[in-house]
Amino acid sequence: YKFSKENLKLTYLSSTNPVLEDSNVDMAEDQYYEYDIDHNSTFVLSKGKAKLGATKVKFVANNLKSVKITWSKKAGNGYYVYRATKENGKYKKIATIKKSATVSYTDKNVSRGKTYYYKVKPYSKKSSYNKTAKMSKACKAYTKLKAPRICSAKYSKKRSGVMVEWTWNSGAKKYELYRATKKDGKYKKIVTTTKTFITDKKAKKGKTYYYKVKAIYKTGSRMNSGFSKIKSTEKN
């Protein structure tokens, strides 16, 4: 290579159109760079500014006082975070993330039950990249309870049933516990409680049961959490 061995980009041809595979590539001293290629294409290593790709934003349930979003990592120096109250409304920049490895943001300036839309745009200060990428697609979000975690589900001889315990969730008014006899089976709600533990007296010793729980703010509310991960008695 007669040009610089730094800040190169690797592209491949897909239906005659170039697609960026990797950017900011630095060649080794022996002029080799190793890749694991999983498809047959024409690959080209070249110089020039690489375009920052758009990221994908995801809503993560956090709590009733804040909204958390995450996104896919992209090359560059960081990300700009934008917010609007309508999907096609006016987006205002609310944060600048100064590390490309940081791929989440918690917005604490929110109102309970209100809907927000977020977009994220990677940016770069490196001369080998375009300064900014395109905006991500809008991500809908709102305050929502985080799913609890079941700590244990063990048979208690003293209590004559399976003792199920889960984590406390700030903002939850109550919890709903569900049970099944198969992991992928039909789950039946066995109790609604304000406590973070119950004794399932209908569970028999030596039999395997599967449990999952959700935090409830208000019956039927979209702010209720999703289900916890399934916990089995056989793993205790």
Side-chain angles (χ1 to χ4, degrees):
Y1 297 95
K2 295 180 180 179
F3 49 85
S4 171
K5 298 176 185 177
E6 299 179 347
N7 298 327
L8 307 179
K9 61 180 181 180
L10 181 70
T11 56
Y12 66 91
L13 295 180
S14 175
S15 300
T16 71
N17 294 316
V19 179
L20 183 66
E21 174 82 7
D22 197 6
S23 55
N24 200 27
V25 177
D26 293 339
M27 296 292 289
E29 291 182 1
D30 58 3
Q31 297 191 26
Y32 281 88
Y33 198 97
E34 186 174 297
Y35 279 91
D36 289 327
I37 302 300
D38 60 3
H39 57 280
N40 258 340
S41 297
T42 299
F43 286 86
V44 179
L45 191 63
S46 62
K47 63 180 179 179
K49 288 188 177 182
K51 291 184 178 180
L52 287 172
T55 187
K56 294 181 180 179
V57 186
K58 181 181 179 181
F59 166 45
V60 180
N62 203 32
N63 55 51
L64 297 183
K65 295 182 179 180
S66 63
V67 163
K68 184 177 181 181
I69 57 171
T70 62
W71 54 86
S72 54
K73 183 180 178 181
K74 292 295 177 181
N77 290 92
Y79 310 87
Y80 298 129
V81 181
Y82 299 82
R83 188 184 76 180
T85 53
K86 294 181 179 180
E87 185 174 6
N88 297 317
K90 185 177 180 180
Y91 284 80
K92 180 180 178 182
K93 186 168 72 173
I94 59 172
T96 299
I97 309 299
K98 296 184 178 180
K99 292 183 179 180
S100 61
T102 302
V103 291
S104 67
Y105 176 72
T106 300
D107 184 5
K108 298 181 180 179
N109 186 25
V110 295
S111 299
R112 185 175 294 183
K114 191 173 181 179
T115 300
Y116 298 92
Y117 295 87
Y118 295 87
K119 291 184 178 182
V120 175
K121 180 166 67 173
Y123 72 87
S124 177
K125 295 179 180 179
K126 298 176 182 179
S127 60
S128 55
Y129 287 89
N130 287 354
K131 289 185 177 180
T132 59
K134 290 183 179 180
M135 284 269 205
S136 68
K137 291 183 179 180
C139 173
K140 184 179 179 181
Y142 41 85
T143 55
K144 184 177 181 178
L145 290 170
K146 185 178 180 180
R149 177 178 61 86
I150 297 181
C151 306
S152 63
K154 297 181 180 180
Y155 184 84
S156 172
K157 184 177 179 180
K158 182 178 180 180
R159 294 176 179 269
S160 300
V162 173
M163 183 77 174
V164 186
E165 299 180 82
W166 55 88
T167 54
W168 177 77
N169 196 322
S170 177
K173 302 292 179 63
K174 52 189 176 182
Y175 303 90
E176 292 179 352
L177 182 67
Y178 294 74
R179 181 189 66 199
T181 54
K182 294 181 180 180
K183 188 175 182 179
D184 299 322
K186 186 177 180 180
Y187 284 79
K188 181 181 178 182
K189 183 169 68 174
I190 60 173
V191 69
T192 299
T193 179
T194 56
K195 298 178 181 179
T196 57
F197 63 90
I198 66 109
T199 301
D200 182 6
K201 292 187 176 295
K202 291 187 177 181
K204 298 178 181 179
K205 184 178 180 180
K207 191 173 180 179
T208 301
Y209 296 93
Y210 299 86
Y211 297 90
K212 60 183 181 180
V213 65
K214 64 190 301 185
I216 304 297
Y217 171 70
K218 186 179 179 181
T219 302
S221 174
R222 68 176 184 174
M223 292 187 285
N224 297 341
S225 79
F227 282 109
S228 67
K229 290 184 178 180
I230 296 168
K231 187 75 171 179
S232 168
T233 53
E234 68 181 358
K235 295 180 181 178
N236 293 278

